[in-house]
Amino acid sequence: MEQPIVGYHQDDEGIWVAELACGHGLHLRHDPPWNVRPWVLSEEGRAARLGAMLPCKRCVEEEAL
């Protein structure tokens, strides 16, 4: 289930987490070659992605219950 990004915060390890409209979070790592998300490293890049849709695995899991 896709949800829009409504904000961001960093976890205890300094990894950026997208705050989704559903209230869940999704870690956004830039760790090539597996995760290529250079936009997450800058404030401008993150701001440009507000409202973008991301898959929320937790919503899918909750829906299946």
Side-chain angles (χ1 to χ4, degrees):
M1 179 176 301
E2 296 216 331
Q3 297 287 339
I5 300 171
V6 296
Y8 302 94
H9 69 271
Q10 286 182 294
D11 70 6
D12 294 337
E13 297 176 18
I15 298 171
W16 285 100
V17 178
E19 300 164 357
L20 304 177
C22 60
H24 297 132
L26 179 66
H27 280 84
L28 298 172
R29 293 173 178 83
H30 176 59
D31 185 24
W34 295 282
N35 296 298
V36 181
R37 295 184 179 120
W39 58 269
V40 79
L41 301 176
S42 71
E43 186 174 342
E44 296 82 12
R46 291 186 301 277
R49 302 285 177 141
L50 285 173
M53 302 296 280
L54 291 176
C56 181
K57 291 171 67 174
R58 289 181 64 190
C59 280
V60 171
E61 291 168 359
E62 289 175 1
E63 191 175 82
L65 295 178

